[in-house]
Every structure is written in structure tokens, then in C-alpha cells.
Amino acid sequence: MRSKKPILLIEDDLIDVMTVNRVFDELNIKNDIIHKQNGEEAIKYLQSNNHESPCIILLDLNMPVMNGIEFLEEAKNDDELKKIPVIVLTTSNDERDVAESYELGAAGYMIKTAEYRDFVSTIKEIESYWTLSELPD
Amino acid sequence: MSQDRSDISDDNQFKGEVAKEKLIAAEGHISAVRLILVIINILVYLLFVTPENATPWLAYPMMTFSLVYSLYYVFYRPYLRYPSLLNSYFTTLTDGAFIVGWIVATGISESPFYLLWCLSIVAVSQRYSFSETMLISVIFAATDLTLINIDIDAPVPRAELAVRVLYIPITGLLGAYFSSEISGQIRDKLKTQESETKARKAEKQARGLLDDLNEQIAEKIKAEKELLKMQKTLEDKVRERTVDLEEVNKELKKEITAKEKIENEQQKTLEKLEEINKELESFAYVTSHDLKAPLRGISTLSDWLYNDYADKLGDDAKEKLGLIKKRTQRMNELIEGILEYSKAGKTKENPRKIDTLQLINEVLGLLNPPEHIAIKVNENLPFVFANQTQMLQIFENLISNSIKYMDKEKGKIEIGFNEENDGGYFYVKDNGVGIPIKNQEKIFDMFQTLASQKSTESTGIGLAVARKLVNGMGGKIWVESKPKEGSTFMFKLPKTILGHHKHIRNT
């Protein structure tokens, strides 16, 4: 990743969080990972005064309190938040979720598989894409 | 009233009888006198006097005729037989003709006959009334005088003329004397009686007609009464029927309401079923995702344990971790199977015309069977009108099973369609492993595979899905199989899907 800013991970499954951390280690991605349990906590963090704006948000869809879709709706209405690219990372391969995510401004949609190795290649692809891509400051 | 009338008529009748007798008597006299006069005239003419101005060709016939006529009247008495002669103009004419005829026949100016002529008038006077007789004499006189003036050959001497002129009033008076006022009156009365009889006849006729009319009117009134009665009966019947119909109507309405109620309930049940169906769908979807998440965790962690602590774990531990991994994979597949099964048949596709031959070739392209299996696809595969995805799934499941369970070196799979009277069925025939009879029903259940459930890749939902789809289309699927020799899976579809399957293919 070109940017040194942290990556915001909005995910409630502990093992998935561990997985992302492990993958980043394996791929030698240096960016910090800020972890929030659900959409509401993420919004609170992003709207707080002392937060570091992340360069990318990795978003899970199935979360309690405020799920991924609701988070995207909230983010769309916030001028600052909607600038940050969001990649939806989820188990759901339902077309409706895909369509809705893109409609709400998601930059990408990746499916979590049960296979760890697949997950590694997925993150690798995301990393290489966003390394090339420009990010807003 | 009627009694009076009958009295008068009786009276009249009696008077009439009397009058008639008188007239008959008069006729008798006149006939007799005339006969005598005729005989005298004839005798005088033939024996004594030959008038100068006589017209012999008229006189002789005249005389003959008069004689015969008079004899006929005296002896035959026709006035008795034909009472109408008593007061008819016929007699008057004959009298006149008789007198005038004599005058002309015997010559106009002959005085000897003159007396006889006068006597003739007197003779007939009894038939006439006074006034009538006077009139006759005047006419006679006028005629005579006229005829005298015409006759210029023999001028009549004044003396004779005077006598003749005198004769006229005398004759008239004499005749008048003998004339019968009564006869005239009687004749009139007879005439009246006749007209009265006629009137009575007419009255009777009229009365008869009136009676007829009354009868007809009575009949008509009767008929009208009948009609009214029938009308009333009809009205009553109509009322009855209307009441019946109204009742039937009520019953029908009740039935319709009941039916509507049932339909409503059916509709509600249908809606409920749809709701339940949707719930099940989302339930299956949600459940499978919720089940998958911890599974993923288990799988990932077992991987990491294996990788991170490889040197610290013994072979035994490593083997056990490997088994954990395999089990999680299995569970994942099962969940996938459930998802697939619940999704089967739920596509929102519209049915369309499908060439099953083309479809099967597509499936074979997808499945890419290994080289040792010979695939035969029959050309007689028909067109169907169905959902493309579902047809694809059915064939895919059946053919992939045949490939999967092929244990022979020279494998053979035949795919085709058999036509029958009421439609026909598709078949996928292989020479694979075969299925024991006791399993042939079970294999269509979920998660049924031939081999051990723990070892094989197959999750065993292929046939369950195929059956779900075929049944959903209204068809039927079954198998015939001999263990070790092979299996033939067959399914038939309803006529609405098979349709007119004899379309000509552009091969």
C-alpha cells in the first residue's frame, strides 16, 4: 500500500480479524489495522475528533447493531466519510448484496471463502490494486 | 204484447178467409159471365154478323183463345190453386187484353158488338172497386173515341156516335153498381195481409238472427269467462313459480357465498403457503450463512495450528488435525447442498422453447467427460417448453452421476428420449456401478450416496435436486438398475411441457 495511513477493519468475527492480521503479516503489509466490531462503533470512531482517517475500509456485511449495508448508507451521507474507499469483504455471494453495495458506493466486493489460501490471494489482489491506485488525501 | 199481435193476426186471418171466399165467389161469377159472353160473341160473329172492319187473322185466334181461356177459368178454377191470382195484376191485364182484343178483332166501329163490349166491362167489374171500374170505363171510352177518329173509311153517323157516347156512362154506372167496394178493400186487405205475412216472416227471420246473435254472445261471454279463469290460473302458477325461483335463487346465492368463502380461505391458505415458502427460503439462506461462519473459523484455526505448530505436533496430532479439516470441508459441502436444494426450482426465469439435444450437448461441454466413457446422444431428443436452468440442472445431475459412478474401463452413457402414446420419457443410461434394488427409492432422498458418506466427494443431493425439479414441473423420475451392470434413469414430463415435440430440426 502506498499510503501509510491505517486500514479500518469493520468486522465482528474474531477469527476473521485474526485472519486479516495474519494475512497482512504474511504479505508484509505495514499499515496499521484499526478494528471496530460493527458499523455503529466505526461511525463513532470516524466522527470523533482524535481519529486518524483510514486510507481504506474493509467492511463485513453481516454484523450486529449496524450491519455493512447500513454503514454504507450512513457513510454516503457524510461528506468526509464518503471519500474513503470501501471494500466489502463478506461471505455472502448473493447478487442482491453485491448490487446494493455498489449502489451505495462500495469500491469493491470480495467474497470470503472457507479456504485460507484463497483469502490470502484475495487480499494480495486488493493490496496490489490499491498500491497502483490513487487515494484521496 | 205478443198476445195482442196474435189476436190481431188471427182476426186478420179470419177476415182474410172471409175476404178470400168473397173473391173466389166473384171470380166464379166473372168466369161464368165471360164464358157466356165469349160464346155469344163467337156465335154472333160466325153466324150473324161479319163486321166490316174485322181483322179475321186476329179475330179467329182471338175467339179461340178467349173460348179456351174462359173454359179453363170456369172448369179448372186456377184461382183456387193459385190464390195470388185473386189480387194480381195478371188478371187485370187479361181483362184489359180481352176487351181490347175483341174491339180490334171484331172491327172498331161495329155497334152490335158494342153492347157486348160494355157487358164485358160490367162482367169484370165485380173484381174491382167502384173507382177502379169508373176508371176502366173512362179508359175504354177514350180508346174507343180515339179509334173512331182514326177510322176514316167508315165515318160514324152522329146518332150512333151519340148512342156510343151515352153507353159509356151507363156502362160505367152499371159496372160501378156491380163493382164491389168490398172486393177492392178485400184485395187491399189481402195485399196488406200478404205484406204482413211477409213482415212476420221477416220478423221471424230477424228474431232467428237475433237469437243466433244472442247465442253467439252468450258463447263469447262463456269463452271470456273461461279465458279469465285460465288467466287467473296462469297468474297463480306464475306466482308459484316465481316463489320457487326466488327460493332457488336464495339457495344459489347461499351456495355462491359459501363457495366464495371457501375460495377466500383457499386464497388465504395459498398466501400463507407462499409466506411459509418465502420464510423457508430465507431461513435456509440465513441458516446456511450462519452455519458457514463458525465452520470457516474451525477450518482456518485447524490450518493455522497445523502450520504454526508443525514441529511441535506429532504425526498422530497432525493426522487428527487433518481429519478435523476434512470434516469441516464436508460440512461446508453439506451446507452448500442444502442451499442448492432449497434454491432449486426457484429461478424467476420464464419457460421457453428449448432444444433438449442442444442443451445436453451444452451439459456435456460443461462436464467434460473423461475419454474412456463413450457418450451417445440420440437425435430424437425433442423440443420442450420449460425453464432452461431447471432442465440444465436435471441433465447435469443425471449425467454427472453416470460419469461419477462409472467403474468400467469402457464406459458407455446413452442419453435419449422414448416416445409413448401419452407423451414419452427422457433417459440417461449407463453401464456403471448400478444400484441395488433396496436403495433404488432411497437414492432420491437428500444426502444419499452409494459409497461411505465420509469418504466420497459427492454430497448426494444431485438426485434429490433432480427429483425436486422434475416433480415441480409435474413430472415423474425413476430408475431401473442392475447392480454391477448399470443404471437407467428416466423421467417424464407433462404434455404441457412436451407439447408438439415433433419439430423438425435443421440438422
Side-chain angles (χ1 to χ4, degrees):
Chain A
M1 214 73 76
R2 215 194 294 173
S3 165
K4 292 288 176 236
K5 286 191 190 168
I7 293 170
L8 175 59
L9 172 63
I10 313 176
E11 170 68 70
D12 69 319
D13 187 317
L14 190 58
I15 303 186
D16 282 341
V17 172
M18 285 168 67
T19 313
V20 171
N21 278 311
R22 193 184 169 97
V23 168
F24 271 39
D25 284 340
E26 199 176 304
L27 293 174
N28 222 4
I29 300 172
K30 295 280 198 266
N31 304 66
D32 284 336
I33 297 174
I34 300 173
H35 166 236
K36 293 294 162 198
Q37 291 272 8
N38 58 53
E40 191 175 281
E41 291 198 11
I43 297 277
K44 255 199 256 174
Y45 170 78
L46 288 167
Q47 287 176 339
S48 70
N49 294 329
N50 283 350
H51 77 283
E52 237 191 303
S53 215
C55 57
I56 283 181
I57 297 176
L58 296 174
L59 176 66
D60 180 31
L61 290 185
N62 291 345
M63 294 177 294
V65 183
M66 186 192 281
N67 66 23
I69 298 291
E70 287 162 0
F71 172 82
L72 283 171
E73 283 170 350
E74 280 282 332
K76 212 161 84 146
N77 295 333
D78 187 310
D79 290 332
E80 283 298 320
L81 293 185
K82 70 181 180 192
K83 283 195 217 159
I84 310 169
V86 176
I87 296 173
V88 172
L89 212 54
T90 181
T91 49
S92 167
N93 59 357
D94 197 299
E95 272 185 24
R96 286 170 287 181
D97 287 335
V98 177
E100 221 182 333
S101 307
Y102 277 117
E103 251 180 68
L104 290 168
Y109 192 100
M110 300 286 195
I111 296 177
K112 283 189 267 191
T113 61
E115 202 47 49
Y116 172 70
R117 296 263 39 107
D118 295 335
F119 197 63
V120 174
S121 18
T122 307
I123 297 291
K124 189 150 182 232
E125 276 176 35
I126 295 173
E127 201 256 331
S128 43
Y129 176 72
W130 286 111
T131 308
L132 292 170
S133 176
E134 290 284 339
L135 288 166
D137 272 332
Chain B
M1 230 349 204
S2 53
Q3 259 211 321
D4 274 344
R5 257 207 212 121
S6 63
D7 281 349
I8 295 171
S9 60
D10 278 350
D11 208 25
N12 273 346
Q13 222 166 1
F14 176 68
K15 276 201 189 147
E17 290 301 321
V18 169
K20 242 197 207 166
E21 272 176 38
K22 279 212 171 140
L23 278 178
I24 288 166
E27 276 301 321
H29 290 142
I30 294 167
S31 321
V33 170
R34 184 180 23 225
L35 183 62
I36 295 166
L37 281 178
V38 163
I39 292 170
I40 295 172
N41 266 324
I42 293 170
L43 284 173
V44 170
Y45 189 90
L46 289 174
L47 299 175
F48 302 112
V49 180
T50 309
E52 280 177 20
N53 298 328
T55 327
W57 61 266
L58 187 60
Y60 289 110
M62 192 72 222
M63 284 190 279
T64 323
F65 175 73
S66 307
L67 186 64
V68 168
Y69 185 70
S70 309
L71 283 167
Y72 165 74
Y73 239 79
V74 167
F75 294 106
Y76 204 64
R77 289 193 274 193
Y79 46 87
L80 287 179
R81 207 169 300 238
Y82 311 109
S84 55
L85 283 176
L86 289 172
N87 56 359
S88 74
Y89 293 113
F90 178 69
T91 44
T92 317
L93 273 172
T94 45
D95 291 339
F98 169 67
I99 295 171
V100 171
W102 261 118
I103 297 173
V104 172
T106 53
I108 297 163
S109 56
E110 289 308 316
S111 40
F113 290 101
Y114 205 79
L115 183 64
L116 290 168
W117 301 338
C118 296
L119 284 174
S120 313
I121 293 173
V122 173
V124 302
S125 66
Q126 276 202 343
R127 197 186 280 123
Y128 301 105
S129 65
F130 181 89
S131 44
E132 282 169 341
T133 314
M134 290 309 292
L135 186 62
I136 291 170
S137 8
V138 166
I139 291 172
F140 170 63
T143 316
D144 186 36
L145 288 173
T146 318
L147 291 173
I148 289 172
N149 282 333
I150 290 171
D151 186 13
I152 47 171
D153 278 352
V156 180
R158 258 179 215 230
E160 200 182 309
L161 195 63
V163 169
R164 278 159 92 132
V165 170
L166 266 173
Y167 270 159
I168 293 153
I170 294 171
T171 313
L173 285 166
L174 267 175
Y177 177 76
F178 284 113
S179 80
S180 175
E181 196 63 43
I182 299 167
S183 299
Q185 281 178 359
I186 291 169
R187 250 203 348 276
D188 286 341
K189 268 216 180 78
L190 276 179
K191 276 211 175 89
T192 324
Q193 203 198 17
E194 234 187 63
S195 46
E196 262 183 23
T197 321
K198 276 199 192 142
R200 232 175 291 135
K201 235 182 160 180
E203 196 190 320
K204 209 163 145 203
Q205 246 187 336
R207 231 161 306 102
L209 281 173
L210 195 69
D211 284 336
D212 278 343
L213 198 68
N214 278 336
E215 227 183 270
Q216 280 189 9
I217 290 175
E219 271 186 35
K220 193 162 179 253
I221 289 175
K222 207 166 129 203
E224 270 184 21
K225 276 207 189 120
E226 284 286 324
L227 205 69
L228 268 169
K229 236 205 287 177
M230 288 207 299
Q231 199 178 333
K232 189 157 181 295
T233 322
L234 201 70
E235 279 181 1
D236 284 339
K237 283 225 168 94
V238 165
R239 222 175 296 134
E240 243 180 81
R241 284 282 165 277
T242 313
V243 168
D244 283 343
L245 275 173
E246 278 179 7
E247 277 194 32
V248 169
N249 217 19
K250 266 194 217 148
E251 285 295 320
L252 274 173
K253 279 205 181 125
K254 269 199 218 154
E255 275 182 34
I256 289 176
T257 327
K259 202 170 167 226
E260 281 181 350
K261 210 170 142 205
I262 292 174
E263 277 184 13
N264 264 349
E265 283 177 7
Q266 275 182 339
Q267 182 68 16
K268 277 202 199 132
T269 314
L270 256 169
E271 284 173 4
K272 250 198 198 149
L273 277 171
E274 272 189 36
E275 236 185 86
I276 293 173
N277 230 13
K278 274 209 188 113
E279 272 183 44
L280 277 170
E281 234 187 87
S282 62
F283 175 75
Y285 174 83
V286 162
T287 314
S288 65
H289 275 276
D290 289 343
L291 290 174
K292 273 198 201 169
L295 206 59
R296 207 177 49 251
I298 298 170
S299 178
T300 313
L301 285 170
S302 57
D303 266 347
W304 292 345
L305 280 172
Y306 194 96
N307 289 331
D308 296 346
Y309 299 99
D311 48 343
K312 296 217 175 85
L313 291 165
D315 282 337
D316 183 54
K318 282 194 196 159
E319 196 186 322
K320 289 194 170 103
L321 278 172
L323 284 171
I324 292 178
K325 182 78 192 255
K326 283 234 171 73
R327 290 294 175 275
T328 57
Q329 278 171 342
R330 174 85 189 148
M331 185 147 172
N332 212 35
E333 282 164 15
L334 289 171
I335 294 172
E336 282 294 328
I338 295 174
L339 254 182
E340 199 187 319
Y341 183 81
S342 82
K343 273 200 254 176
K346 291 264 186 345
T347 54
K348 299 209 172 30
E349 246 179 70
N350 286 328
R352 60 182 124 122
K353 190 167 147 194
I354 303 165
D355 182 355
T356 53
L357 177 62
Q358 206 182 346
L359 191 79
I360 287 168
N361 283 327
E362 261 181 56
V363 168
L364 290 170
L366 271 172
L367 292 174
N368 205 9
E371 285 188 5
H372 69 278
I373 304 179
I375 314 271
K376 176 164 180 244
V377 181
N378 272 333
E379 298 278 304
N380 72 341
L381 281 160
F383 284 79
V384 297
F385 190 76
N387 183 309
Q388 170 133 352
T389 314
Q390 291 178 10
M391 291 301 292
L392 197 92
Q393 270 180 294
I394 298 170
F395 282 116
E396 194 181 342
N397 287 347
L398 292 178
I399 298 172
S400 81
N401 270 357
S402 292
I403 296 172
K404 214 184 296 181
Y405 293 101
M406 182 55 67
D407 60 344
K408 313 280 190 302
E409 278 186 13
K410 288 220 175 106
K412 263 199 287 187
I413 300 180
E414 186 183 327
I415 307 150
F417 178 79
N418 261 353
E419 214 177 303
E420 281 179 336
N421 281 341
D422 59 343
Y425 61 89
F426 295 90
Y427 64 87
V428 175
K429 184 172 172 184
D430 66 54
N431 64 341
V433 136
I435 306 158
I437 294 183
K438 62 176 160 75
N439 294 336
Q440 281 176 14
E441 283 286 322
K442 273 204 288 181
I443 52 170
F444 290 101
D445 291 339
M446 277 197 74
F447 302 138
Q448 299 296 322
T449 56
L450 283 178
S452 151
Q453 288 203 349
K454 302 149 213 145
S455 58
T456 185
E457 282 178 5
S458 166
T459 47
I461 59 144
L463 286 176
V465 168
R467 179 172 71 176
K468 189 182 179 199
L469 292 173
V470 167
N471 286 354
M473 290 193 228
K476 190 168 164 247
I477 187 168
W478 70 98
V479 67
E480 279 170 16
S481 175
K482 272 209 178 111
K484 301 225 179 92
E485 283 183 27
S487 320
T488 309
F489 282 87
M490 294 163 276
F491 68 97
K492 57 156 81 164
L493 297 171
K495 268 224 168 102
T496 46
I497 293 176
L498 282 178
H500 310 288
H501 51 269
K502 289 197 204 297
H503 295 291
I504 300 172
R505 213 175 253 112
N506 302 329
T507 35

